[in-house]
């Protein structure tokens, strides 16, 4: 039992990560979750175009809601990695490696979308079609 408890305290658990994020941000619905190769970090696509980030610390997770400008992303040393810089949380800076190139690309796109604030109504023109008036 002690060995299992020690293993559980040191290994990440995706289900527990989702529950921890839900406790930290109960109003945010998760659309998709992308974990790093070592399962030490999770990047979340949320229901309204926002992003979330979780970092595993044993059986607990550090949870962040990522807003515009809260993370900068650049290519990592290989196609399965990204380099992330969190201006407000420098201790999270690093290279995050994923299980596939597709996962790394998806997370890159997700993080790049956080760079531009979204129109709260979803459409800037107000008539529901998303087009800007001419002239």
């Amino acid at each position: 039992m002690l060995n299992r408890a020690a293993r559980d305290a040191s290994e990440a658990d995706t289900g527990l990560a989702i529950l921890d994020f839900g406790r930290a941000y109960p109003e945010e619905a998760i659309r998709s979750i992308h974990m790093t190769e070592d399962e030490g970090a999770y990047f979340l696509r949320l229901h309204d175009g926002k992003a979330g980030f979780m970092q595993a610390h044993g059986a607990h997770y550090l949870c962040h809601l990522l807003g515009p400008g809260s993370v900068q992303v650049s290519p990592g040393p290989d196609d399965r990695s990204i380099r992330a810089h969190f201006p407000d949380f420098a201790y999270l800076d690093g290279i995050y490696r994923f299980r596939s190139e597709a996962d790394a690309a998806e997370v890159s796109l997700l993080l790049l979308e956080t760079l531009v604030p979204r129109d709260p109504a979803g459409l800037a023109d107000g008539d529901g079609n998303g087009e800007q008036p001419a002239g």
Side-chain angles (χ1 to χ4, degrees):
M1 286 177 48
L2 289 175
N3 286 341
R4 188 170 113 198
R7 184 188 72 237
D8 289 348
S10 66
E11 291 182 1
D13 178 342
T14 304
L16 184 56
I18 291 169
L19 290 174
D20 275 1
F21 192 84
R23 279 192 290 269
Y25 300 102
E27 301 298 320
E28 301 296 336
I30 299 171
R31 288 182 55 200
S32 65
I33 185 167
H34 304 279
M35 69 185 83
T36 57
E37 187 174 58
D38 64 359
E39 297 183 20
Y42 298 83
F43 293 86
L44 310 169
R45 181 177 298 277
L46 304 176
H47 73 288
D48 58 357
K50 293 181 201 167
F53 174 79
M54 295 182 298
Q55 187 176 47
H57 292 277
H60 301 283
Y61 296 85
L62 177 66
C63 301
H64 290 283
L65 194 59
L66 302 176
S70 64
V71 63
Q72 299 164 357
V73 64
S74 59
D78 60 47
D79 291 339
R80 293 174 34 197
S81 302
I82 63 168
R83 184 180 314 273
H85 169 60
F86 298 82
D88 294 335
F89 306 101
Y91 59 91
L92 298 175
D93 290 358
I95 296 172
Y96 294 91
R97 184 175 168 88
F98 298 89
R99 292 184 175 145
S100 70
E101 291 178 32
D103 285 344
E106 180 70 23
V107 171
S108 294
L109 180 60
L110 170 66
L111 295 178
L112 288 172
E113 288 175 356
T114 68
L115 296 176
V116 180
R118 293 184 176 270
D119 178 8
L123 300 169
D125 66 345
D127 69 359
N129 66 10
E131 296 175 358
Q132 295 296 321

